Amino acid sequence: MIPNSFQLGAHIIKVQKDAKMKDAYGLWYEQKKLIKLAKSKADWSEHFALQVFWHEACHAILDHIGRGDLSQDENFVDGLSEALTQLAL
């Protein structure tokens, strides 16, 4: 369900799955137009992995529309990404 890339306006956002990460489940790199997702663990549900993708996609969308203030609000991004995960299922 998680794409390898997606279009956001005029930009192609690449999604790197199974990245080696120590302290995060995922990261959004605005300058590179890249989302990195940590390698899934055995105890991760499909729902959790999808929510991590949507969390980082929300950061990308909010930065794209000039709402860096909301992108920096992790509680807002968590709520929005959880709602999108439920919608996507």
Side-chain angles (χ1 to χ4, degrees), residues 2 13-14 18 21 25 27 54-55 79:
I2 298 173
I13 309 300
K14 294 181 182 175
D18 297 329
M21 305 176 86
Y25 299 121
L27 290 171
W54 278 115
H55 180 97

Side-chain angles (χ1 to χ4, degrees), residues 2-55:
I2 298 173
N4 294 320
S5 65
F6 61 93
Q7 188 162 351
L8 180 58
H11 304 285
I12 300 296
I13 309 300
K14 294 181 182 175
V15 180
Q16 180 184 347
K17 302 172 190 173
D18 297 329
K20 291 184 180 184
M21 305 176 86
K22 289 185 178 186
D23 298 326
Y25 299 121
L27 290 171
W28 158 239
Y29 296 89
E30 184 175 10
Q31 297 302 317
K32 295 179 181 181
K33 305 296 186 238
L34 172 68
I35 290 173
K36 285 189 176 184
L37 301 174
K39 182 175 172 110
S40 294
K41 307 279 191 245
D43 62 342
W44 287 12
S45 68
E46 183 179 339
H47 179 90
F48 178 76
L50 188 58
Q51 193 273 335
V52 172
F53 163 74
W54 278 115
H55 180 97

Side-chain angles (χ1 to χ4, degrees), residues 53-89:
F53 163 74
W54 278 115
H55 180 97
E56 300 310 326
C58 284
H59 282 297
I61 293 164
L62 292 166
D63 288 339
H64 178 73
I65 65 170
R67 291 306 307 261
D69 58 321
L70 291 176
S71 182
Q72 292 178 12
D73 184 340
E74 289 296 325
N75 288 327
F76 178 79
V77 173
D78 276 342
L80 183 57
S81 64
E82 184 58 38
L84 287 169
T85 302
Q86 292 174 21
L87 177 71
L89 295 175

